[in-house]
Amino acid sequence: MMHWLIVPVVLPAMLAPILAFVMRHDITLARTFSVAGTAALVAVALGLAAMAADGTTHVYRLGDWPAPFGIVLVLDRLSALMVLLTATLALIVLIHAIATGWDDRGRHFHALFQFQLMGICGAFLTGDIFNLFVFFEVLLIASYGLMIHSGGRERMRAGLQYVVMNLAGSTLFLFALGTLYASTGTLNIADLALRAAEIPPEEAALVRVAAMLLMIVFAVKAALFPVQFWLPATYANAPAPVAALFAIMTKVGAYAIIRVHTTAFGPGIEGTESVAAAWLFPAAIVTIAVGAFGVLGARRLMPLIAFSAVGSMGTLLVAVAAFTPEALTAALYYTVHSTFAAACLFLIADLVVTRRSGDRLGAAPATVQNGLFAALFFAGAIAMAGMPPLSGFLGKLLVLDAVRAPAQMPWAWTAILVGSLLTIVGFARAGSILFWKSTSIPHPIPDMHEHVPPKALPPAARAAEVAPAMLSLAALAALAVFAGPAASYLEATSAQVFDRAGYVSAVLGPATEE
C-alpha cells in the first residue's frame, strides 16, 4: 500500500503538537520547523500530483480494512490538485507571516497553522462523508484560534460570529449524516453512489432531504448566499496572513459540493440529480451580486477584498452548478486563480495597512514605497476583477463559455459581466484613494517650538515581506501563460470526476497492494 498518500494528514498532525509543547518558547526554532514541515508538504503534494497524473485513482485503507467498512483516503487528479494548491499557498502565507512578524504577536500560531493544514488536506483526501465532518471540525477549531490570533475586540467579535455560524453548520451536518445513514446504510462516498442509484425516485425522499442538508452545510463553508454573511467580517478582521490562508477554506466547501453532489447525488442518480443544481445556480448568481455590491460600497480595504472573495466564489459555483465536465474544467481553473488572487490581495493589503493609520479608505499621507504598493495592488485587483493579461480574464471566459444553456446563459453572463464591472469600479476607487490622493497630502511637520519628537515614518518593506505577494502574482501570471497545458490537465480531471464507475471500482475493489 502506498503510504505517501496519508502523509499530508500525518505530517502536520505530528508537527503541530511538537510546535505547541516543545518549541512554544523559542520562536526561531518554531519558525524553522514550521517552514521545513510546510516545504516538505509541498514536496509530498508534488509527488502525489505526479502519481495521480496518469488518471489512476489511488486508495489508502487505514488498518487495511476494505471500504465501506474501514476509513479510506482517495487520491485522484482532483484531490491531488487541491492538496498541492493548499500546500503551495500555505508556504507563501507562512513566509509572509514570519517576515512581517505576525506569527510572534500571539501564542501557538505555528501549531494552529499546522493543524489547519491537517484539516484542509484531510478534507480533500477523505473518501467518507463522516470523516469529512471530522476534518471540518479540525478546520473549525484551528481556524478560530488563528482568527483571534493577537487578540482585539473587533477580532473577538468577528471570531464569535464565525464560530456560531460554523457550529450551526456542524449541527446540520450531523443531522444530514444521520438521515443519510438511516436511508442508505452507508457514509462512504463510493458506496453511497451505488446505494443512491438503487433507490427508486419515489422512495428517495429521505435521501433528497439529506442531500439538501449537505448542500446547506457546504454552502456555509463556501460562503454561498444566503449563508455568506460570516465571511466579510471574518476575513476583514482576521490577521492578514490568516485571511490569505482562508482563501483556500471556501474552496473546501466548493470541493465538497463537487465531490459529493457529483459522485454520490449527481447526474445519472434519478432520485437526487436535480437537488443541487436547482438551488445552487440561483444562489451563486445572488452571491456574485452580493460580492460586487459589497466591493462597490466598501469603506475599508480589508472588507473590500473580503467581498471580492465572496463574488469570486459565486463565479466559481455558477460553473459548478452546470454539473458538466466542461463547466467543471472552467470551475477548477477559476478555483486555482481565485485562491491566489484573494491571497495576494490580502498580503498586499497587510503591507499597506501597517504603514497607514488603519484600513479605512480615506486620504492620508503617502506611505513609503507608495509606487511599489500601488503597482502590486492594481496587479492584484486586475487579477481579481478578471481583466487581461492575468488568469482571471481567461478563467471568466472559460466560465462564460461553459454556461451556454438557454436557461442559464442570460442570468450567468449578466451576473458575471456586470459583477466584474462593479468590481473594477470598486477597486479603481479604492486604489485611487489609497495611492493617488495620498501623494498630494504631505506628512505632518512637527512644530519646532514644541518639545515633541517627530513621529517616525513606518519602515520600508523588506524584500522578504514583499516576496510572498509577488510569488502569488507570479503564480497568476504562470497560470495565464500556461493556460493551455493547465486546461488540458483540468479537462482530464473533470472527466475523471464524472467517471463514477471508475471511482466506485477503485474504492470498493479488492484491498490489494498498489
Side-chain angles (χ1 to χ4, degrees):
M1 188 178 291
M2 183 63 69
H3 294 289
W4 285 109
L5 209 156
I6 201 174
V7 172
V9 178
V10 172
L11 176 60
M14 293 179 64
L15 185 57
I18 296 174
L19 290 168
F21 295 108
V22 179
M23 306 177 189
R24 57 182 173 177
H25 299 302
D26 191 334
I27 187 64
T28 302
L29 197 60
R31 287 171 171 175
T32 302
F33 274 77
S34 187
V35 170
T38 308
L41 182 62
V42 173
V44 171
L46 284 169
L48 294 179
M51 281 175 52
D54 62 355
T56 303
T57 300
H58 301 269
V59 181
Y60 185 88
R61 302 172 179 87
L62 276 76
D64 207 23
W65 283 87
F69 308 106
I71 298 172
V72 294
L73 301 180
V74 182
L75 178 76
D76 58 4
R77 287 190 179 100
L78 178 58
S79 56
L81 170 69
M82 299 308 294
V83 170
L84 178 58
L85 179 61
T86 300
T88 305
L89 177 68
L91 185 58
I92 292 173
V93 169
L94 186 59
I95 293 171
H96 180 95
I98 293 172
T100 56
W102 265 110
D103 64 326
D104 199 23
R105 299 183 193 180
R107 296 171 62 85
H108 304 306
F109 176 88
H110 293 284
L112 291 169
F113 193 90
Q114 295 299 324
F115 275 128
Q116 183 84 339
L117 294 184
M118 170 197 170
I120 296 173
C121 292
F124 289 143
L125 288 170
T126 185
D128 184 281
I129 299 181
F130 180 79
N131 287 295
L132 182 63
F133 166 78
V134 172
F135 285 119
F136 272 16
E137 295 310 293
V138 174
L139 283 176
L140 175 61
I141 296 169
S143 60
Y144 178 68
L146 290 172
M147 163 70 200
I148 62 173
H149 180 72
S150 82
R153 178 181 297 178
E154 291 300 319
R155 191 164 292 154
M156 293 293 290
R157 182 183 293 115
L160 181 62
Q161 178 187 5
Y162 169 72
V163 167
V164 169
M165 189 64 194
N166 279 273
L167 283 177
S170 298
T171 304
L172 279 181
F173 206 159
L174 285 176
F175 289 158
L177 293 177
T179 305
L180 195 59
Y181 192 79
S183 55
T184 64
T186 186
L187 294 176
N188 180 276
I189 296 174
D191 195 36
L192 186 60
L194 290 181
R195 303 285 183 91
E198 294 171 353
I199 299 175
E202 63 274 9
E203 299 177 11
L206 272 181
V207 180
R208 284 194 290 270
V209 169
M212 196 61 227
L213 287 175
L214 287 174
M215 174 58 70
I216 295 172
V217 173
F218 300 153
V220 172
K221 301 297 182 183
L224 183 69
F225 179 85
V227 286
Q228 86 297 334
F229 51 82
W230 62 269
L231 188 147
T234 299
Y235 283 33
N237 290 287
V242 174
L245 180 65
F246 281 8
I248 195 68
M249 289 267 289
T250 49
K251 308 310 185 295
V252 176
Y255 170 87
I257 293 173
I258 293 169
R259 179 66 77 191
V260 175
H261 287 274
T262 298
T263 303
F265 304 130
I269 309 294
E270 293 185 14
T272 58
E273 62 181 341
S274 62
V275 170
W279 294 95
L280 185 58
F281 182 77
I285 294 295
V286 180
T287 303
I288 295 175
V290 170
F293 283 110
V295 169
L296 193 62
R299 294 295 177 264
R300 292 169 51 213
L301 180 57
M302 298 297 277
L304 181 144
I305 299 172
F307 274 110
S308 71
V310 172
S312 71
M313 284 306 300
T315 302
L316 190 163
L317 291 170
V318 160
V320 172
F323 286 101
T324 64
E326 296 77 16
L328 182 56
T329 299
L332 294 178
Y333 185 94
Y334 195 79
T335 295
V336 179
H337 156 78
S338 61
T339 301
F340 282 117
C344 176
L345 282 170
F346 279 117
L347 297 181
I348 294 168
D350 186 42
L351 298 177
V352 175
V353 169
T354 54
R355 288 160 179 82
R356 290 169 58 92
S357 56
D359 69 338
R360 187 164 298 280
L361 296 176
T367 64
V368 290
Q369 299 171 300
N370 194 67
L372 173 63
F373 295 154
L376 291 173
F377 177 81
F378 281 111
I382 285 171
M384 181 59 82
M387 296 173 63
L390 294 178
S391 53
F393 179 70
L394 297 175
K396 288 192 175 181
L397 280 182
L398 287 171
V399 173
L400 291 172
D401 186 57
V403 286
R404 289 189 173 188
Q408 295 179 332
M409 183 175 176
W411 293 100
W413 282 51
T414 301
I416 292 173
L417 294 176
V418 174
S420 297
L421 176 61
L422 295 178
T423 302
I424 291 169
V425 173
F427 272 106
R429 178 182 63 86
S432 64
I433 292 173
L434 289 171
F435 304 110
W436 181 61
K437 288 186 178 180
S438 63
T439 60
S440 61
I441 301 177
H443 285 277
I445 301 175
D447 188 347
M448 300 304 295
H449 298 287
E450 297 181 6
H451 298 286
V452 179
K455 186 178 180 180
L457 294 178
R462 295 173 288 112
E465 297 177 62
V466 180
M470 289 187 168
L471 285 173
S472 299
L473 286 174
L476 294 171
L479 190 60
V481 172
F482 298 102
S488 298
Y489 177 85
L490 296 176
E491 285 174 3
T493 302
S494 301
Q496 188 177 27
V497 170
F498 278 86
D499 181 15
R500 182 182 294 115
Y503 182 88
V504 170
S505 175
V507 175
L508 300 181
T512 57
E513 294 289 323
E514 295 183 353

